[in-house]
Amino acid sequence: MARNIQSLERAAAMLRLLAGGERRLGLSDIASSLGLAKGTAHGILRTLQQEGFVEQDDASGRYQLGAELLRLGTTYLDVHELRARALVWTDDLARSSGESVYLGVFHQQGVLIVHHVFRPDDSRQVLEIGAMQPLHSTALGKVLSAYDPVAHSEALEADRKPFTDRTTCDLDAFEHVLDITRARGYAADVEETWEGVASVAAPIHDRRRMPVGAVGITGAVERLGKDGELRPELIAAVRDCARAVSRDLGAGRF
């Protein structure tokens, strides 16, 4: 009978612990929970971190699951409830808007893209599932920062660096943007992250009315905007998509 490889068993147990526990765990907590010496636990964590399966917070030194698990994860993503519920609606949004559609969730200090529908034309495009976007400048990030208290705290504590001359970096100005986002139910990014690119996003809620993600469209400023403003029909389409996914998650009517 083949023997199990102990180091792999310990690594798997570590990943399960990080998946089921608090958002971040320290080395001592992980070692104690698994009955491992700190040196052994640290060696496994270091290997998992090098492979992208575990990430370490620079400030606290605590560990959490890494984005590489989702990058591997077409199989995981297929059973991910949020993505599964959003598939039809995001396809419809891409067709009706003519733009790329992104579904994002809060992860560590940014937005993790868990689903991406290509713009429905013949242009060359790159699949961005697993990519990370900033919280403070993107429409998806602003929505998550406005509605998710943990994302909000991370956005306030992060270094809000400027990507363009339009990026909002000042703390008070950023809080004002989030107030506006909550008041109107969507967020916009007009050349705040990438020159010539605009996006619109709206929040997705679950059956407990908790924010679980955001959906948005991204495209050239000249397509998304008209007379200096984002096209209202595109904003309405994004909000309708977010509401539809939320209803499928059990959130009821908003």
Side-chain angles (χ1 to χ4, degrees):
M1 181 176 178
R3 296 178 60 186
N4 292 339
I5 300 175
Q6 188 179 53
S7 59
L8 291 179
E9 289 183 328
R10 289 172 171 174
M14 202 168 283
L15 293 173
R16 292 191 188 98
L17 178 66
L18 290 170
E22 298 177 9
R23 199 165 65 89
R24 293 175 182 156
L25 293 173
L27 174 60
S28 297
D29 299 324
I30 294 170
S32 175
S33 296
L34 299 179
L36 300 174
K38 282 188 179 180
T40 301
H42 184 256
I44 296 171
L45 284 167
R46 187 172 62 247
T47 301
L48 291 171
Q49 186 178 1
Q50 289 171 349
E51 296 299 324
F53 298 137
V54 164
E55 296 171 355
Q56 186 178 27
D57 179 64
D58 292 334
S60 67
R62 291 175 174 265
Y63 295 89
Q64 65 184 29
L65 293 180
E68 185 62 23
L69 289 173
L70 280 179
R71 292 192 180 96
L72 284 179
T74 53
T75 302
Y76 170 74
L77 289 172
D78 284 342
V79 298
H80 190 284
E81 185 179 10
L82 174 60
R83 182 177 184 271
R85 298 287 185 177
L87 286 176
V88 172
W89 300 111
T90 51
D91 284 349
D92 287 347
L93 178 58
R95 282 193 296 269
S96 65
S97 67
E99 301 296 344
S100 299
V101 177
Y102 294 88
L103 184 69
V105 299
F106 171 64
H107 178 75
Q108 199 173 18
Q109 287 124 358
V111 182
L112 178 65
I113 303 301
V114 296
H115 186 51
H116 174 200
V117 184
F118 283 163
R119 185 172 63 255
D121 59 21
D122 296 328
S123 63
R124 186 175 181 273
Q125 300 173 64
V126 178
L127 188 66
E128 295 190 39
I129 293 175
M132 294 291 293
Q133 294 187 0
L135 286 171
H136 70 287
S137 63
T138 62
L140 292 171
K142 292 177 194 176
V143 165
L144 293 171
S145 300
Y147 288 90
D148 183 330
V150 179
H152 180 240
S153 296
E154 291 285 2
L156 297 188
E157 295 172 6
D159 177 19
R160 294 176 300 280
K161 65 178 183 179
F163 296 106
T164 74
D165 58 7
R166 293 173 176 262
T167 308
T168 301
C169 301
D170 176 75
L171 179 59
D172 290 338
F174 181 64
E175 286 278 38
H176 181 62
V177 168
L178 299 186
D179 287 341
I180 293 173
T181 297
R182 285 185 286 264
R184 64 189 184 182
Y186 72 91
D189 165 11
V190 181
E191 297 188 284
E192 295 178 54
T193 311
W194 302 282
E195 296 284 354
V197 177
S199 58
V200 183
I204 296 171
H205 297 80
D206 66 7
R207 61 185 59 86
R208 299 166 300 161
R209 298 295 182 97
M210 297 295 291
V212 293
V215 63
I217 60 173
T218 297
V221 171
E222 59 267 21
R223 293 198 305 269
L224 267 65
K226 183 178 180 181
D227 299 327
E229 300 288 338
L230 291 173
R231 291 164 53 193
E233 68 271 21
L234 293 180
I235 295 171
V238 170
R239 297 191 68 194
D240 286 346
C241 178
R243 291 191 194 101
V245 178
S246 297
R247 285 196 298 270
D248 276 5
L249 289 170
R253 297 186 65 85
F254 272 80

